[in-house]
Amino acid sequence: MSEDAKPTTELSGDFEDKTLPCKDCGTDWVFSAGEQEFYREKAFENEPSRCKECRKAKKIARNRRMRSRRQKKSGPGGNVCYAFQKGECTRGDECRFAHEIVEGAGEDNKE
C-alpha cells in the first residue's frame, strides 16, 4: 500500500459516518465520524439516540422544567436581595438577586 492511500483525516481514524434513527421523531440522521471521535475521546459508552434537533428540544424542555421547579421551590419573592430590602445592597445592577420589594419580607426585624 502506498503512502497516497492513507486517509486524509487522521482524526476520524477508523470511524465512518453512520445513519441512526432518532428515538423521538423517527427520522434517520447521520452520526458523523467526527462526532464518533468526540464520543470516544469523552469516553461516552452509548451512541446518541436522538437527532440534533430533538436533543436541542429535550435540553430546552429540561431547562424549563428545572427553572419552573426552582421558582416553585423558592415561592413568591424567591431570589430577592435581602440587602436591598434592608436598604444595604451596594451591588446595584450587578447584583444577581432581584431588587423588588416584597410585602411582608423582613417585617419581623423591624420591631
Side-chain angles (χ1 to χ4, degrees):
M1 191 174 222
S2 68
E3 287 188 35
D4 295 334
K6 288 184 180 178
T8 56
T9 57
E10 293 180 19
L11 283 178
S12 58
D14 54 348
F15 296 111
E16 292 182 13
D17 291 353
K18 290 183 184 179
T19 301
L20 302 173
C22 176
K23 81 178 199 180
D24 287 349
C25 67
T27 60
D28 289 339
W29 59 281
V30 176
F31 185 37
S32 72
E35 291 172 322
Q36 292 174 50
E37 178 73 20
F38 174 80
Y39 270 64
R40 186 178 72 180
E41 287 174 6
K42 297 295 181 181
F44 294 149
E45 295 180 6
N46 301 319
E47 293 179 341
S49 56
R50 293 178 177 86
C51 63
K52 287 184 181 184
E53 293 81 18
C54 290
R55 277 185 270 169
K56 184 176 179 179
K58 183 176 168 101
K59 183 177 180 179
I60 290 170
R62 182 178 55 239
N63 288 341
R64 284 184 182 153
R65 280 193 312 272
M66 293 303 294
R67 193 177 310 121
S68 175
R69 285 183 190 155
R70 273 188 251 128
Q71 288 172 350
K72 286 179 185 177
K73 197 174 189 179
S74 64
N79 298 329
V80 175
C81 179
Y82 293 113
F84 175 78
Q85 290 177 347
K86 295 176 185 177
E88 301 170 354
C89 184
T90 58
R91 294 183 187 98
D93 290 339
E94 295 178 8
C95 185
R96 67 181 189 154
F97 299 104
H99 283 189
E100 55 189 38
I101 300 192
V102 178
E103 292 182 33
E107 288 185 4
D108 23 328
N109 293 338
K110 289 185 178 181
E111 298 262 344

